[in-house]
Coordinates of all heavy atoms in Angstrom, one line a residue:
M1241 N 7.1 -4.7 -40.3 CA 5.8 -5.4 -40.1 C 6.1 -6.8 -39.2 O 5.3 -6.9 -38.4 CB 5.2 -5.7 -41.5 CG 3.7 -6.1 -41.3 SD 2.8 -4.7 -40.9 CE 1.3 -5.1 -41.5
R1242 N 7.0 -7.4 -39.6 CA 7.4 -8.7 -38.7 C 7.6 -8.3 -37.3 O 7.3 -9.0 -36.4 CB 8.4 -9.5 -39.3 CG 8.0 -10.2 -40.6 CD 9.1 -11.0 -41.1 NE 8.9 -11.6 -42.3 CZ 9.7 -12.2 -43.0 NH1 11.0 -12.4 -42.6 NH2 9.3 -12.8 -44.2
F1243 N 8.3 -7.2 -37.0 CA 8.7 -6.7 -35.7 C 7.5 -6.5 -34.9 O 7.4 -6.9 -33.8 CB 9.7 -5.6 -35.8 CG 10.1 -5.1 -34.5 CD1 10.9 -5.8 -33.7 CD2 9.6 -3.9 -34.0 CE1 11.3 -5.3 -32.4 CE2 9.7 -3.4 -32.7 CZ 10.7 -4.2 -31.9
R1244 N 6.5 -5.8 -35.6 CA 5.3 -5.4 -34.7 C 4.5 -6.7 -34.4 O 4.1 -6.8 -33.3 CB 4.4 -4.5 -35.7 CG 4.9 -3.1 -35.7 CD 3.8 -2.3 -36.3 NE 4.5 -1.2 -36.9 CZ 3.9 -0.3 -37.8 NH1 2.7 -0.6 -38.2 NH2 4.5 0.7 -38.3
T1245 N 4.4 -7.7 -35.3 CA 3.8 -8.9 -35.0 C 4.4 -9.7 -33.8 O 3.8 -10.1 -32.9 CB 3.7 -9.8 -36.2 OG1 3.1 -9.0 -37.3 CG2 2.8 -11.0 -36.0
A1246 N 5.8 -9.7 -34.0 CA 6.5 -10.4 -32.9 C 6.3 -9.8 -31.5 O 6.1 -10.4 -30.5 CB 8.0 -10.5 -33.3
V1247 N 6.4 -8.5 -31.5 CA 6.2 -7.7 -30.3 C 4.8 -8.0 -29.7 O 4.6 -8.1 -28.5 CB 6.6 -6.1 -30.4 CG1 6.1 -5.4 -29.2 CG2 8.0 -6.0 -30.8
A1248 N 3.8 -7.8 -30.6 CA 2.3 -8.0 -30.2 C 2.2 -9.4 -29.6 O 1.4 -9.6 -28.7 CB 1.5 -7.7 -31.4
G1249 N 2.9 -10.4 -30.1 CA 2.7 -11.7 -29.7 C 3.4 -12.2 -28.4 O 3.4 -13.1 -27.8
L1250 N 4.2 -11.2 -27.7 CA 4.9 -11.4 -26.6 C 4.0 -11.7 -25.4 O 4.4 -12.4 -24.5 CB 5.8 -10.3 -26.1 CG 7.1 -10.1 -27.1 CD1 7.9 -8.9 -26.7 CD2 8.0 -11.4 -26.9
G1251 N 2.9 -11.0 -25.3 CA 1.8 -11.1 -24.2 C 2.3 -10.4 -23.0 O 3.2 -9.7 -22.8
I1252 N 1.3 -10.6 -22.0 CA 1.3 -10.0 -20.7 C 2.7 -10.4 -19.9 O 3.3 -9.5 -19.3 CB 0.1 -10.2 -20.0 CG1 -1.1 -9.6 -20.5 CG2 0.3 -9.8 -18.5 CD1 -2.3 -9.8 -19.9
G1253 N 3.0 -11.6 -20.0 CA 4.2 -12.1 -19.2 C 5.5 -11.3 -19.6 O 6.3 -10.9 -18.8
A1254 N 5.7 -10.9 -20.8 CA 6.9 -10.3 -21.3 C 6.7 -8.8 -20.9 O 7.6 -8.2 -20.5 CB 7.0 -10.4 -22.8
A1255 N 5.4 -8.3 -21.0 CA 5.3 -6.9 -20.6 C 5.7 -6.7 -19.1 O 6.2 -5.7 -18.7 CB 3.8 -6.4 -20.9
L1256 N 5.2 -7.7 -18.3 CA 5.6 -7.7 -16.9 C 7.1 -7.7 -16.7 O 7.6 -7.1 -15.8 CB 4.9 -8.7 -16.2 CG 3.4 -8.6 -15.9 CD1 2.8 -9.9 -15.3 CD2 3.2 -7.5 -14.9
A1257 N 7.8 -8.5 -17.4 CA 9.2 -8.7 -17.3 C 9.9 -7.5 -17.7 O 10.9 -7.1 -17.2 CB 9.7 -9.9 -18.2
L1258 N 9.3 -6.7 -18.7 CA 9.9 -5.4 -19.2 C 9.5 -4.2 -18.3 O 10.0 -3.2 -18.4 CB 9.6 -5.3 -20.6 CG 10.0 -6.3 -21.7 CD1 9.6 -6.0 -23.0 CD2 11.6 -6.3 -21.7
G1259 N 8.7 -4.5 -17.3 CA 8.3 -3.4 -16.5 C 7.2 -2.5 -17.0 O 6.9 -1.5 -16.5
G1260 N 6.5 -2.9 -18.1 CA 5.4 -2.2 -18.6 C 4.1 -2.2 -17.9 O 3.2 -1.3 -18.0
L1261 N 3.9 -3.2 -17.0 CA 2.6 -3.4 -16.3 C 3.1 -3.7 -14.8 O 4.1 -4.2 -14.6 CB 1.8 -4.4 -16.8 CG 1.3 -4.4 -18.3 CD1 0.6 -5.6 -18.6 CD2 0.3 -3.1 -18.4
S1262 N 2.2 -3.4 -13.9 CA 2.5 -3.8 -12.6 C 1.2 -4.7 -12.1 O 0.1 -4.3 -12.4 CB 2.8 -2.6 -11.6 OG 1.5 -1.8 -11.7
A1263 N 1.6 -5.6 -11.3 CA 0.5 -6.5 -10.8 C 0.0 -5.8 -9.5 O 0.7 -5.1 -8.7 CB 1.2 -7.8 -10.4
P1264 N -1.3 -6.0 -9.2 CA -1.9 -5.5 -7.9 C -1.4 -6.0 -6.7 O -0.9 -7.2 -6.8 CB -3.5 -5.9 -8.2 CG -3.4 -7.0 -9.0 CD -2.2 -6.9 -10.0
A1265 N -1.3 -5.2 -5.7 CA -0.7 -5.8 -4.4 C -1.7 -6.8 -3.9 O -2.9 -6.7 -3.9 CB -0.6 -4.5 -3.5
Q1266 N -1.1 -7.8 -3.2 CA -1.9 -8.9 -2.6 C -1.7 -8.9 -1.1 O -0.6 -8.7 -0.6 CB -1.6 -10.3 -3.1 CG -1.9 -10.4 -4.5 CD -1.6 -11.7 -5.0 OE1 -1.2 -12.6 -4.4 NE2 -2.1 -12.0 -6.4
A1267 N -2.8 -9.1 -0.4 CA -2.7 -9.2 1.1 C -3.1 -10.5 1.5 O -4.1 -11.0 1.0 CB -3.6 -8.1 1.6
A1268 N -2.5 -10.9 2.6 CA -2.9 -12.2 3.3 C -4.1 -12.0 4.1 O -4.1 -11.0 4.9 CB -1.8 -12.8 4.0
G1269 N -5.1 -12.7 4.0 CA -6.3 -12.7 5.0 C -5.9 -13.3 6.3 O -4.8 -13.8 6.6
Q1270 N -6.9 -13.3 7.2 CA -6.8 -13.9 8.6 C -6.5 -15.4 8.4 O -5.6 -15.9 9.2 CB -8.1 -13.8 9.4 CG -8.0 -14.3 10.6 CD -7.3 -13.2 11.6 OE1 -6.8 -12.3 11.2 NE2 -7.3 -13.5 12.9
D1271 N -6.9 -16.2 7.4 CA -6.6 -17.6 7.2 C -5.4 -17.8 6.5 O -4.9 -18.9 6.2 CB -7.8 -18.3 6.7 CG -8.2 -17.8 5.3 OD1 -7.5 -16.7 4.8 OD2 -9.1 -18.3 4.7
G1272 N -4.6 -16.8 6.0 CA -3.4 -16.9 5.3 C -3.6 -17.0 3.8 O -2.7 -16.9 3.0
A1273 N -4.8 -17.1 3.3 CA -5.1 -17.1 1.9 C -4.9 -15.8 1.3 O -5.2 -14.7 1.9 CB -6.6 -17.6 1.7
S1274 N -4.4 -15.6 0.1 CA -4.3 -14.3 -0.6 C -5.5 -13.9 -1.3 O -6.2 -14.8 -1.9 CB -3.0 -14.3 -1.5 OG -1.9 -14.6 -0.8
S1275 N -5.8 -12.7 -1.4 CA -6.9 -12.2 -2.1 C -6.3 -11.8 -3.5 O -5.2 -11.1 -3.5 CB -7.5 -10.9 -1.4 OG -8.2 -10.2 -2.2
A1276 N -7.0 -12.0 -4.5 CA -6.5 -11.7 -5.9 C -6.4 -10.2 -6.1 O -5.6 -9.7 -6.8 CB -7.5 -12.3 -6.9
L1277 N -7.3 -9.4 -5.5 CA -7.4 -8.0 -5.7 C -6.8 -7.2 -4.5 O -6.2 -6.2 -4.6 CB -8.8 -7.4 -6.0 CG -9.3 -8.0 -7.3 CD1 -10.8 -7.5 -7.4 CD2 -8.6 -7.6 -8.5
G1278 N -6.8 -7.8 -3.3 CA -6.3 -7.1 -2.2 C -7.3 -6.1 -1.7 O -8.2 -5.8 -2.3
P1279 N -7.1 -5.6 -0.4 CA -8.0 -4.6 0.1 C -7.9 -3.2 -0.6 O -6.8 -2.9 -1.1 CB -7.6 -4.4 1.6 CG -6.8 -5.7 1.8 CD -6.2 -6.1 0.5
S1280 N -8.9 -2.5 -0.6 CA -9.0 -1.1 -1.2 C -8.6 -0.2 -0.1 O -9.4 0.0 0.8 CB -10.4 -1.0 -1.8 OG -10.4 0.5 -2.3
C1281 N -7.5 0.5 -0.3 CA -6.9 1.4 0.8 C -6.4 2.6 0.2 O -5.9 2.7 -0.9 CB -5.9 0.8 1.6 SG -6.4 -0.8 2.4
T1282 N -6.5 3.7 1.0 CA -5.9 5.0 0.5 C -5.0 5.5 1.7 O -5.2 5.1 2.9 CB -7.0 6.1 0.3 OG1 -7.8 6.2 1.4 CG2 -7.9 5.7 -0.9
K1283 N -4.1 6.3 1.5 CA -3.1 7.0 2.4 C -3.1 8.4 2.2 O -3.2 8.9 1.2 CB -1.9 6.2 2.4 CG -1.2 6.2 1.1 CD 0.1 5.4 1.1 CE 0.8 5.5 -0.2 NZ 2.0 4.7 -0.3
G1284 N -2.6 9.1 3.2 CA -2.3 10.5 3.1 C -1.5 11.1 4.2 O -1.2 10.3 5.1
K1285 N -1.2 12.3 4.2 CA -0.5 12.9 5.3 C -0.7 14.4 5.5 O -1.2 15.1 4.6 CB 1.0 12.7 5.0 CG 1.5 13.5 3.8 CD 3.0 13.3 3.5 CE 3.5 14.1 2.3 NZ 4.9 14.1 2.3
N1286 N -0.4 14.9 6.7 CA -0.2 16.4 6.9 C 1.1 16.5 7.5 O 1.9 15.6 7.4 CB -1.4 16.9 7.7 CG -1.5 16.2 9.1 OD1 -0.5 15.8 9.7 ND2 -2.7 16.2 9.6
L1287 N 1.4 17.6 8.2 CA 2.7 17.8 8.6 C 3.3 16.8 9.7 O 4.4 16.3 9.6 CB 2.9 19.2 9.3 CG 2.9 20.3 8.3 CD1 2.9 21.7 9.2 CD2 4.1 20.3 7.5
T1288 N 2.4 16.5 10.7 CA 2.9 15.6 11.9 C 2.4 14.1 11.8 O 2.7 13.4 12.6 CB 2.6 16.2 13.1 OG1 1.1 16.3 13.3 CG2 3.4 17.5 13.3
N1289 N 1.3 13.8 10.9 CA 0.9 12.5 11.0 C 0.5 12.0 9.6 O 0.3 12.8 8.6 CB -0.3 12.3 11.9 CG -1.7 12.9 11.4 OD1 -2.0 12.7 10.2 ND2 -2.4 13.5 12.2
G1290 N 0.7 10.7 9.4 CA 0.1 9.9 8.2 C -1.1 9.2 8.5 O -1.2 8.7 9.7
W1291 N -1.9 8.9 7.6 CA -3.1 8.2 7.9 C -3.3 7.0 6.7 O -2.9 7.2 5.7 CB -4.4 9.1 8.1 CG -4.6 10.0 6.8 CD1 -4.2 11.3 6.6 CD2 -5.3 9.6 5.6 NE1 -4.6 11.6 5.4 CE2 -5.4 10.7 4.8 CE3 -5.9 8.4 5.1 CZ2 -5.9 10.7 3.5 CZ3 -6.6 8.4 4.0 CH2 -6.5 9.6 3.1
G1292 N -4.0 6.1 7.1 CA -4.5 5.1 6.2 C -5.9 4.9 6.4 O -6.4 4.8 7.4
K1293 N -6.8 4.5 5.3 CA -8.0 4.1 5.4 C -8.4 3.0 4.5 O -8.1 3.1 3.2 CB -8.9 5.3 5.0 CG -10.4 5.1 5.1 CD -11.3 6.2 4.8 CE -12.8 5.9 4.9 NZ -13.6 7.0 4.5
C1294 N -8.8 1.8 5.0 CA -9.1 0.6 4.1 C -10.6 0.5 4.1 O -11.2 0.6 5.2 CB -8.5 -0.6 4.6 SG -6.7 -0.6 4.3
T1295 N -11.3 0.2 3.0 CA -12.7 0.1 3.1 C -13.3 -1.3 2.7 O -14.4 -1.5 2.7 CB -13.3 1.0 1.9 OG1 -12.8 0.8 0.7 CG2 -13.2 2.5 2.4
T1296 N -12.4 -2.2 2.3 CA -12.7 -3.6 1.9 C -13.1 -4.3 3.2 O -12.3 -4.4 4.1 CB -11.7 -4.3 1.2 OG1 -11.3 -3.5 0.1 CG2 -12.1 -5.7 0.7
R1297 N -14.3 -5.0 3.2 CA -14.7 -5.8 4.2 C -13.8 -7.1 4.4 O -13.2 -7.6 3.4 CB -16.1 -6.3 4.2 CG -17.1 -5.2 4.2 CD -18.5 -5.6 3.9 NE -18.8 -6.8 4.7 CZ -20.2 -7.1 4.9 NH1 -21.1 -6.5 4.3 NH2 -20.4 -8.1 5.7
G1298 N -13.6 -7.6 5.6 CA -12.7 -8.8 5.9 C -12.0 -8.6 7.2 O -12.1 -7.7 7.9
N1299 N -11.3 -9.7 7.5 CA -10.5 -9.7 8.7 C -8.9 -9.6 8.5 O -8.1 -10.1 9.3 CB -10.7 -11.2 9.4 CG -12.2 -11.1 10.0 OD1 -12.7 -10.1 10.4 ND2 -12.8 -12.3 9.9
Y1300 N -8.4 -8.9 7.6 CA -7.1 -8.7 7.2 C -6.6 -7.7 8.3 O -7.1 -6.8 8.8 CB -6.9 -8.1 5.8 CG -7.8 -6.9 5.5 CD1 -7.2 -5.6 5.6 CD2 -9.1 -7.1 5.1 CE1 -7.9 -4.6 5.3 CE2 -9.8 -6.0 4.7 CZ -9.2 -4.6 4.8 OH -10.0 -3.5 4.6
K1301 N -5.2 -7.8 8.6 CA -4.6 -6.9 9.6 C -3.6 -6.0 8.9 O -2.9 -6.5 8.0 CB -3.8 -7.8 10.6 CG -4.8 -8.6 11.5 CD -4.0 -9.3 12.5 CE -5.0 -10.2 13.4 NZ -4.9 -10.0 14.7
W1302 N -3.6 -4.8 9.4 CA -2.7 -3.9 8.7 C -2.4 -2.7 9.6 O -2.9 -2.7 10.7 CB -3.3 -3.3 7.3 CG -4.7 -2.6 7.7 CD1 -5.8 -3.2 7.9 CD2 -5.0 -1.2 7.7 NE1 -6.8 -2.3 8.0 CE2 -6.3 -1.0 7.9 CE3 -4.2 -0.1 7.5 CZ2 -6.8 0.2 8.0 CZ3 -4.6 1.2 7.5 CH2 -6.0 1.3 7.8
R1303 N -1.3 -1.9 9.2 CA -1.0 -0.8 10.0 C -0.3 0.3 9.0 O 0.1 -0.1 7.9 CB 0.0 -1.1 11.1 CG 1.4 -1.5 10.6 CD 2.3 -1.7 11.9 NE 3.3 -2.6 11.4 CZ 4.0 -3.5 12.3 NH1 3.6 -3.4 13.5 NH2 5.0 -4.2 11.9
V1304 N -0.2 1.5 9.5 CA 0.3 2.6 8.8 C 1.7 2.8 9.3 O 1.9 3.0 10.5 CB -0.5 3.8 8.9 CG1 0.2 5.1 8.3 CG2 -1.9 3.7 8.3
N1305 N 2.7 3.1 8.4 CA 4.0 3.4 8.7 C 4.4 4.8 8.2 O 4.0 5.1 7.0 CB 5.2 2.4 8.3 CG 4.8 1.1 8.9 OD1 4.6 0.9 10.1 ND2 4.8 0.0 8.1
V1306 N 5.2 5.6 8.9 CA 5.6 6.9 8.5 C 7.2 7.1 8.6 O 7.7 6.6 9.6 CB 4.9 8.1 9.0 CG1 3.4 8.2 8.7 CG2 5.0 8.1 10.6
D1307 N 7.8 7.7 7.6 CA 9.2 8.2 7.7 C 9.1 9.7 7.9 O 8.4 10.3 7.2 CB 9.9 7.7 6.5 CG 10.1 6.3 6.3 OD1 10.2 5.6 7.3 OD2 10.1 5.9 5.2
C1308 N 10.0 10.1 8.7 CA 10.0 11.5 9.2 C 11.2 12.3 8.7 O 12.3 11.7 8.5 CB 9.8 11.6 10.7 SG 8.4 10.7 11.4
T1309 N 11.1 13.7 8.7 CA 12.1 14.4 8.0 C 13.5 14.4 8.9 O 14.5 14.5 8.4 CB 11.8 16.0 7.9 OG1 11.3 16.5 9.2 CG2 10.6 16.1 6.9
L1310 N 13.4 14.3 10.2 CA 14.6 14.3 11.1 C 15.2 12.9 11.3 O 15.9 12.7 12.3 CB 14.4 15.1 12.3 CG 14.0 16.6 12.0 CD1 13.6 17.3 13.5 CD2 15.1 17.3 11.4
G1311 N 14.8 12.0 10.3 CA 15.4 10.6 10.6 C 14.5 9.7 11.4 O 14.9 8.6 11.6
G1312 N 13.5 10.1 12.0 CA 12.6 9.2 12.8 C 11.6 8.5 11.9 O 11.5 8.6 10.8
S1313 N 10.8 7.7 12.6 CA 9.8 6.9 12.0 C 8.6 6.7 13.0 O 8.8 6.9 14.2 CB 10.3 5.7 11.4 OG 10.8 4.8 12.4
G1314 N 7.5 6.2 12.6 CA 6.4 5.9 13.5 C 5.5 4.9 12.8 O 5.4 4.8 11.6
S1315 N 4.7 4.2 13.6 CA 3.8 3.2 13.2 C 2.4 3.4 14.0 O 2.5 3.6 15.1 CB 4.3 1.8 13.3 OG 5.5 1.6 12.6
S1316 N 1.4 3.0 13.4 CA 0.0 3.0 14.1 C 0.0 1.6 14.8 O 0.9 0.8 14.5 CB -1.0 3.1 12.9 OG -1.1 2.1 12.3
S1317 N -0.9 1.4 15.5 CA -1.2 0.3 16.1 C -1.8 -0.8 14.9 O -2.3 -0.3 14.0 CB -2.3 0.2 17.2 OG -3.5 0.8 16.8
V1318 N -1.8 -2.0 15.1 CA -2.3 -3.0 14.2 C -3.7 -3.0 14.3 O -4.4 -3.0 15.3 CB -1.8 -4.4 14.4 CG1 -2.4 -5.5 13.5 CG2 -0.2 -4.4 14.3
V1319 N -4.4 -2.8 13.2 CA -5.9 -2.8 13.0 C -6.3 -3.8 12.2 O -5.6 -4.4 11.4 CB -6.4 -1.4 12.6 CG1 -6.1 -0.3 13.6 CG2 -5.8 -1.0 11.3
T1320 N -7.7 -4.3 12.4 CA -8.2 -5.2 11.6 C -9.4 -4.8 10.8 O -10.2 -4.1 11.2 CB -8.7 -6.5 12.5 OG1 -7.6 -6.9 13.2 CG2 -9.4 -7.6 11.7
G1321 N -9.4 -5.2 9.5 CA -10.5 -4.8 8.6 C -10.7 -3.4 8.2 O -9.7 -2.6 8.3
P1322 N -11.8 -3.1 7.7 CA -12.1 -1.7 7.2 C -12.1 -0.8 8.3 O -12.9 -0.8 9.3 CB -13.5 -1.8 6.5 CG -14.1 -3.0 7.2 CD -12.9 -3.9 7.6
T1323 N -11.3 0.2 8.4 CA -11.2 1.3 9.3 C -10.1 2.4 8.9 O -9.6 2.3 7.8 CB -10.8 0.8 10.8 OG1 -11.0 1.8 11.7 CG2 -9.4 0.2 10.7
R1324 N -9.9 3.4 9.8 CA -9.0 4.4 9.5 C -8.1 4.6 10.6 O -8.5 4.3 11.8 CB -9.7 5.7 9.2 CG -8.6 6.9 9.0 CD -9.3 8.2 8.8 NE -8.5 9.3 9.0 CZ -8.2 10.2 8.0 NH1 -8.8 10.1 6.9 NH2 -7.3 11.2 8.3
T1325 N -6.8 4.6 10.6 CA -5.9 4.7 11.7 C -4.7 5.8 11.2 O -4.5 6.0 10.1 CB -5.3 3.4 12.0 OG1 -4.6 3.5 13.1 CG2 -4.3 2.8 10.9
N1326 N -4.0 6.4 12.3 CA -3.0 7.3 12.1 C -1.6 6.8 12.6 O -1.6 6.1 13.7 CB -3.3 8.6 12.8 CG -4.6 9.3 12.3 OD1 -4.7 9.4 11.0 ND2 -5.5 9.8 13.1
A1327 N -0.6 7.3 12.1 CA 0.8 7.1 12.6 C 1.4 8.6 12.7 O 1.3 9.4 11.8 CB 1.6 6.2 11.7
Y1328 N 2.1 8.9 13.7 CA 2.6 10.1 14.1 C 4.2 10.1 14.0 O 5.0 9.2 14.4 CB 2.1 10.5 15.5 CG 0.6 10.6 15.6 CD1 -0.1 9.6 16.0 CD2 0.0 11.8 15.2 CE1 -1.5 9.6 16.0 CE2 -1.3 11.9 15.2 CZ -2.0 10.8 15.7 OH -3.5 10.8 15.8
C1329 N 4.8 11.4 13.7 CA 6.0 11.7 13.8 C 6.4 12.4 15.1 O 5.8 13.4 15.4 CB 6.6 12.6 12.6 SG 6.8 11.7 11.0
G1330 N 7.2 11.8 16.0 CA 7.6 12.5 17.2 C 8.5 13.7 17.0 O 8.5 14.5 17.7
W1331 N 9.4 13.5 16.0 CA 10.3 14.5 15.6 C 10.2 14.8 14.1 O 10.4 13.9 13.3 CB 11.7 14.0 15.8 CG 12.0 13.7 17.3 CD1 12.0 12.6 18.0 CD2 12.2 14.7 18.3 NE1 12.0 12.6 19.3 CE2 12.4 14.0 19.5 CE3 12.4 16.1 18.3 CZ2 12.6 14.7 20.8 CZ3 12.9 16.7 19.6 CH2 12.8 16.0 20.7
G1332 N 10.1 16.0 13.7 CA 10.1 16.4 12.3 C 8.7 16.2 11.7 O 7.6 16.0 12.4
N1333 N 8.7 16.3 10.4 CA 7.4 16.1 9.6 C 7.3 14.9 8.8 O 8.4 14.3 8.6 CB 7.2 17.4 8.7 CG 7.2 18.7 9.3 OD1 6.6 18.7 10.5 ND2 7.7 19.8 8.7
V1334 N 6.2 14.5 8.5 CA 6.0 13.2 7.6 C 6.6 13.5 6.3 O 6.1 14.4 5.6 CB 4.6 12.9 7.6 CG1 4.3 11.7 6.7 CG2 4.0 12.6 9.1
E1335 N 7.4 12.6 5.8 CA 7.9 12.6 4.4 C 7.2 11.5 3.6 O 6.9 11.7 2.5 CB 9.4 12.3 4.5 CG 10.3 13.5 4.8 CD 11.7 13.3 4.4 OE1 12.2 12.1 4.5 OE2 12.5 14.3 4.1
Y1336 N 7.1 10.4 4.1 CA 6.4 9.2 3.4 C 5.5 8.3 4.3 O 5.9 8.1 5.4 CB 7.6 8.3 2.9 CG 7.2 7.2 2.1 CD1 6.9 7.3 0.8 CD2 7.3 5.8 2.6 CE1 6.4 6.2 0.0 CE2 6.9 4.7 1.9 CZ 6.5 4.9 0.6 OH 6.0 3.9 -0.2
V1337 N 4.5 7.9 3.7 CA 3.4 7.1 4.3 C 3.3 5.7 3.5 O 3.2 5.8 2.3 CB 2.1 7.8 4.4 CG1 1.1 7.0 5.0 CG2 2.2 9.1 5.0
S1338 N 3.2 4.7 4.2 CA 3.1 3.4 3.7 C 2.1 2.6 4.4 O 1.9 2.9 5.7 CB 4.3 2.7 3.5 OG 4.9 2.3 4.7
I1339 N 1.3 1.7 3.9 CA 0.5 0.7 4.4 C 1.1 -0.6 4.5 O 1.4 -1.1 3.3 CB -1.1 0.8 3.8 CG1 -1.7 2.2 4.0 CG2 -1.8 -0.3 4.5 CD1 -2.9 2.4 3.3
E1340 N 1.2 -1.3 5.5 CA 1.8 -2.6 5.7 C 0.7 -3.6 6.1 O -0.1 -3.4 7.0 CB 2.8 -2.6 6.7 CG 3.5 -3.9 7.0 CD 4.5 -3.8 8.1 OE1 4.6 -2.8 8.8 OE2 5.3 -4.9 8.3
F1341 N 0.4 -4.7 5.2 CA -0.4 -5.7 5.5 C 0.3 -6.8 6.3 O 1.4 -7.2 5.9 CB -1.1 -6.2 4.2 CG -1.9 -5.2 3.6 CD1 -1.3 -4.3 2.5 CD2 -3.1 -4.9 3.9 CE1 -2.1 -3.4 1.9 CE2 -3.9 -3.9 3.4 CZ -3.4 -3.2 2.3
L1342 N -0.2 -7.4 7.3 CA 0.3 -8.2 8.2 C -0.5 -9.6 8.0 O -1.5 -9.8 7.6 CB 0.3 -7.8 9.7 CG 0.9 -6.5 9.9 CD1 0.6 -5.9 11.2 CD2 2.3 -6.4 9.5

């Protein structure tokens, strides 16, 4: 019983340290200030391209990066705010897609 009470009293800080929770990603805005929640973005892929789509209004800058099956990689152009953009694999197929906030 004492163990449960002690564990319950650890709080969120201990849970984060133990890897039980993850903090939301933060993105820097145009003025360098961080948003508490960050932009709302999704990503996906097909064989030869990866895509990203952000819907949160604002002037944040971001791009899509892809890693390809034959060791290549690709990046989209840098875009600002809510839009959709693609990154292509010149060689091989898309293995992994990430969104990078600048």
Side-chain angles (χ1 to χ4, degrees):
M1241 191 71 152
R1242 287 184 183 170
F1243 179 72
R1244 284 189 205 165
T1245 304
V1247 171
L1250 289 176
I1252 293 175
L1256 285 171
L1258 295 173
L1261 299 174
S1262 61
Q1266 294 184 355
Q1270 185 74 356
D1271 59 1
S1274 293
S1275 166
L1277 298 176
S1280 175
C1281 302
T1282 56
K1283 60 185 178 181
K1285 65 178 183 169
N1286 62 30
L1287 284 179
T1288 59
N1289 75 43
W1291 56 266
K1293 180 179 179 181
C1294 291
T1295 57
T1296 305
R1297 293 174 54 167
N1299 290 326
Y1300 52 95
K1301 293 183 183 232
W1302 60 282
R1303 70 176 156 210
V1304 174
N1305 297 314
V1306 292
D1307 293 327
C1308 310
T1309 56
L1310 299 176
S1313 62
S1315 295
S1316 69
S1317 59
V1318 174
V1319 293
T1320 302
T1323 190
R1324 178 183 164 117
T1325 189
N1326 295 316
Y1328 297 93
C1329 281
W1331 297 98
N1333 297 326
V1334 175
E1335 282 190 324
Y1336 180 75
V1337 179
S1338 63
I1339 295 177
E1340 176 185 11
F1341 296 97
L1342 307 170

